[in-house]
Amino acid sequence: MKKIIIMSFALSVFSISTMNAQSLFDKIDNLVSKIDKASNTVDNAANKADKASKTGGKLGSLFGKKNKNKKNDEKVSEGNNNTSEGNNKTIIKISNIDFTNLKKLNGIVAESKGVTDTDMKFNTASSSITVFHSGNTEDLLSNIQSRAQNIYTDKNISGIDEGMIEIKIK
């Protein structure tokens, strides 16, 4: 009889501790599911933000807005001068040019034969126009010179090398 009482007591103590352990496991499971839900919410928000940015880019392209940085990054990653597609990069450095003439020159360069893109940087002392084009630097210069005679002349060209044209306006 003593054995039965001890066994009953041990069984009841064991079942109570099992219920407490099960309760602890349920709490841990609830916490894990809350963390998982929060992680999914963050992932969904990131996906929505990505979709929104893509939609914004599509809308911008519908209205003719260009993503110049993306184009320039792609072209710079292709290399400085000669690339497999025949695109070259030439930097035109111009000293002592005013903003109006720089904009005119950039327009002339952008409309020149073989030019795919330009990027203009203005500084009173030294401005630059980065040009992505087909052909070589000399061809680019000859295409620009004929249309930019009111901005600079041959005597203003201080240097020419493949990928670089230097002009000093006096």
Side-chain angles (χ1 to χ4, degrees):
M1 178 78 168
K2 221 179 189 185
K3 286 183 179 182
I4 294 176
I5 293 176
I6 293 175
M7 290 296 268
S8 299
F9 180 72
L11 185 60
S12 62
V13 169
F14 181 70
S15 65
I16 291 173
S17 64
T18 304
M19 281 188 238
N20 287 339
Q22 184 61 39
S23 173
L24 180 67
F25 288 135
D26 288 341
K27 289 179 183 178
I28 291 172
D29 188 43
N30 285 339
L31 285 175
V32 168
S33 67
K34 287 181 182 179
I35 291 171
D36 193 33
K37 184 178 178 182
S39 174
N40 288 339
T41 303
V42 169
D43 288 343
N44 288 340
N47 287 339
K48 286 180 182 178
D50 188 41
K51 286 180 183 177
S53 82
K54 288 179 181 176
T55 302
K58 289 177 183 176
L59 287 175
S61 67
L62 284 175
F63 294 112
K65 192 172 189 179
K66 294 180 182 176
N67 190 351
K68 281 181 113 176
N69 292 339
K70 186 176 179 181
K71 283 184 179 180
N72 288 342
D73 290 344
E74 289 172 359
K75 290 176 182 172
V76 167
S77 68
E78 291 174 354
N80 279 346
N81 287 329
N82 294 329
T83 62
S84 60
E85 298 173 357
N87 286 332
N88 296 321
K89 175 183 170 186
T90 298
I91 299 173
I92 304 172
K93 292 184 179 182
I94 310 111
S95 301
N96 301 325
I97 190 168
D98 60 75
F99 188 65
T100 304
N101 281 330
L102 182 65
K103 287 192 328 185
K104 287 179 187 176
L105 183 60
N106 187 50
I108 290 169
V109 171
E111 294 170 0
S112 294
K113 181 181 173 186
V115 173
T116 57
D117 195 19
T118 64
D119 183 31
M120 179 179 74
K121 292 187 178 21
F122 175 72
N123 185 329
T124 307
S126 178
S127 301
S128 68
I129 301 173
T130 304
V131 186
F132 296 96
H133 61 96
S134 60
N136 61 28
T137 302
E138 289 179 32
D139 293 340
L140 175 67
L141 181 61
S142 63
N143 286 335
I144 298 168
Q145 273 183 307
S146 61
R147 295 176 33 215
Q149 291 175 355
N150 60 345
I151 300 171
Y152 74 92
T153 61
D154 288 347
K155 63 183 176 184
N156 296 113
I157 298 173
S158 61
I160 184 169
D161 193 12
E162 191 61 38
M164 179 73 67
I165 300 171
E166 294 182 38
I167 302 171
K168 288 187 181 178
I169 308 291
K170 294 181 183 178

